Amino acid sequence: LEHSVITIREAEELIRIIDLKGVVPLVRLSSNNSEQIKRIMDAGAHGVIVPMVNSVHEAEAAVSAVRYPPLGKRSVGLARAQGYGAKFKHYFDWQESNTLVVVQIEHITAVENLESILSVDGVDAYIVGPYDLSGSLGIPGEFNRPEFLEAMSRIRAVSKKLGIPGGVHIVEPDLEQLNQCIDDG
């Protein structure tokens, strides 16, 4: 949804198609908005990718919006994900351990707060948004500058320490860059 014109209805169709193919449907949200998270999860997404998570509070809010009580605050709907009510118990049990929350690390503030963000119970992974991160450093798109490389190094070190998997958005298809990112962890 972020940086696109896809509607919630179109997202539901994409989720259904992806799910029917046996692939895990994740939705990149337009914001850390509990109403949008609820609608996407009710449409059948298995998880969310949450942009601009800069604090522990924002990470907790995202996790809480994905999970039903007592683990979260998501209200109960009876939509596609719950079989329109017929499969609620199955979905309720499934969502406790199968939903994913991926936080986007896109600002130097997030890097400064990374250990607390990635320590939130229910944050499963992270992905770096390199353009926004470099922009927050005042060097948009300059990925070879020392301050950007230092931020990336800190991200890798903290995530390795905590055992949280992550990734980075590679903008231009580049197999060499992909392999380097994999080697770097």
Side-chain angles (χ1 to χ4, degrees):
L1 297 174
E2 187 179 29
H3 302 299
S4 80
V5 296
I6 294 172
T7 66
I8 296 287
R9 179 68 184 109
E10 291 165 327
E12 179 184 33
E13 285 298 310
L14 292 168
I15 291 165
R16 184 181 58 78
I17 292 164
I18 292 166
D19 200 20
L20 287 170
K21 287 300 206 175
V23 177
V24 175
L26 301 176
V27 175
R28 181 177 173 183
L29 303 169
S30 59
S31 67
N32 191 355
N33 177 295
S34 63
E35 291 299 314
Q36 187 178 70
I37 292 171
K38 174 177 56 178
R39 293 181 72 200
I40 285 300
M41 294 304 294
D42 285 350
H46 290 203
V48 294
I49 302 169
V50 187
M52 284 291 174
V53 175
N54 293 325
S55 70
V56 67
H57 171 73
E58 292 169 350
E60 290 169 344
V63 170
S64 183
V66 168
R67 303 269 179 95
Y68 290 131
L71 300 174
K73 296 181 180 176
R74 180 175 160 201
S75 69
V76 176
L78 301 175
R80 182 182 172 278
Q82 304 86 357
Y84 301 97
K87 297 179 182 178
F88 175 74
K89 175 68 173 136
H90 170 76
Y91 179 78
F92 182 86
D93 294 341
W94 173 89
Q95 64 84 36
E96 285 186 335
S97 58
N98 290 290
T99 55
L100 296 169
V101 175
V102 180
V103 294
Q104 288 187 255
I105 304 303
E106 303 181 277
H107 197 278
I108 193 60
T109 303
V111 177
E112 293 163 358
N113 295 324
L114 191 61
E115 191 157 346
S116 62
I117 291 169
L118 295 184
S119 294
V120 170
D121 187 30
V123 169
D124 300 294
Y126 72 90
I127 187 164
V128 175
Y131 277 98
D132 283 327
L133 178 57
S134 63
S136 76
L137 293 165
I139 53 169
E142 297 182 43
F143 306 131
N144 291 318
R145 292 276 296 267
E147 50 270 65
F148 180 80
L149 296 172
E150 183 179 312
M152 291 298 293
S153 179
R154 174 156 168 66
I155 292 167
R156 285 190 301 274
V158 170
S159 65
K160 183 176 183 179
K161 173 185 168 185
L162 297 175
I164 301 294
V168 61
H169 180 208
I170 297 175
V171 179
E172 297 293 328
D174 183 334
L175 189 55
E176 186 177 316
Q177 185 183 11
L178 173 63
N179 287 327
Q180 184 62 54
C181 285
I182 292 169
D183 290 345
D184 289 345

